[in-house]
Amino acid sequence: MNEVTIVCCYNDTEQYNNFVDTLKAQSCPCEIIGIDNRGNKAFKSCAGAYNSVKDKITTKYVIYSHQDIRLTEHDTIAKFISYLERVNPDDILGVAGVRFDRPEVFTNIKHRWNDTGKISYASDYRIDGDMMECDTVDECFFGGYAEHFRHYPFDEVVCDNWHFYAADVCLRTKSKLLPW
């Protein structure tokens, strides 16, 4: 049985299919829920799209991802799960985050620049090897215990577009303003 579901709301089939190909190459199998928001534009926000499938997630963990993510190592999902196994059920993990006490973005993400094709780290402040506590995480690739997101869904009023839904859920969780 799979331990994790990857949820991705997409509007570009080619990018989404490339992402799914990297998921299928992972050493750890996962469920994949793709939310097609191309022609019909069924959702006006990512919060709404993600909330629409929360009851379809039957795995212990969930990861929310952008469509343009590429997992370049075969064990990325397995590593992410190993981190999730070390945290509390209400903790949220991501591959990039910020802290209130330091203005830098901390990450180990690599970015390909479209104009040059050059690959470089997305930030000068890398997380090397282990986890680092942050106050918020970036939307590109984050997750936690599926039960947490079922009980405390994304706020579709505050996050009524395609930005800041991960930061919002982190801040609400951190401040213990649950339930919403």
Side-chain angles (χ1 to χ4, degrees):
M1 180 177 162
N2 297 334
E3 289 186 275
V4 65
T5 298
I6 313 295
V7 179
C8 178
C9 183
Y10 65 94
N11 61 8
D12 181 311
T13 306
E14 184 178 351
Q15 283 190 6
Y16 176 71
N17 288 337
N18 289 336
F19 173 59
V20 169
D21 287 344
T22 68
L23 291 175
K24 290 178 179 177
Q26 291 292 299
S27 62
C28 178
C30 56
E31 299 289 325
I32 303 168
I33 297 178
I35 304 169
D36 184 350
N37 203 47
R38 289 175 298 155
N40 62 359
K41 305 275 189 218
F43 300 99
K44 68 175 189 151
S45 72
C46 206
Y50 286 166
N51 286 342
S52 76
V53 298
K54 66 182 166 73
D55 293 329
K56 296 179 182 177
I57 300 167
T58 60
T59 55
K60 184 175 183 177
Y61 306 113
V62 60
I63 297 171
Y64 299 96
S65 180
H66 281 183
Q67 64 190 2
D68 58 351
I69 295 294
R70 301 297 171 266
L71 306 177
T72 58
E73 297 177 14
H74 76 285
D75 60 347
T76 301
I77 299 296
K79 286 180 185 176
F80 202 90
I81 290 172
S82 75
Y83 290 136
L84 286 168
E85 290 171 341
R86 296 171 35 202
V87 300
N88 295 316
D90 286 328
D91 288 340
I92 298 169
L93 273 61
V95 295
V98 292
R99 297 171 53 121
F100 293 148
D101 62 341
R102 296 189 54 193
E104 300 88 5
V105 173
F106 294 91
T107 185
N108 56 6
I109 298 173
K110 291 181 181 175
H111 176 79
R112 180 186 308 272
W113 298 96
N114 288 337
D115 56 340
T116 65
K118 180 182 174 188
I119 297 174
S120 62
Y121 281 99
S123 171
D124 290 336
Y125 302 94
R126 291 189 285 283
I127 302 168
D128 291 318
D130 205 13
M131 293 185 287
M132 174 182 192
E133 185 173 344
C134 290
D135 293 298
T136 64
V137 298
D138 187 86
E139 282 95 12
C140 64
F141 195 86
F142 72 99
Y145 282 75
E147 191 66 20
H148 173 84
F149 292 97
R150 271 193 295 280
H151 284 304
Y152 309 113
F154 296 96
D155 188 325
E156 296 178 44
V157 174
V158 171
C159 299
D160 61 353
N161 58 36
W162 299 94
H163 306 287
F164 304 116
Y165 50 91
D168 179 68
V169 77
C170 288
L171 293 174
R172 288 173 184 247
T173 299
K174 190 172 182 74
S175 68
K176 304 294 184 207
L177 291 177
L178 307 175
W180 296 301

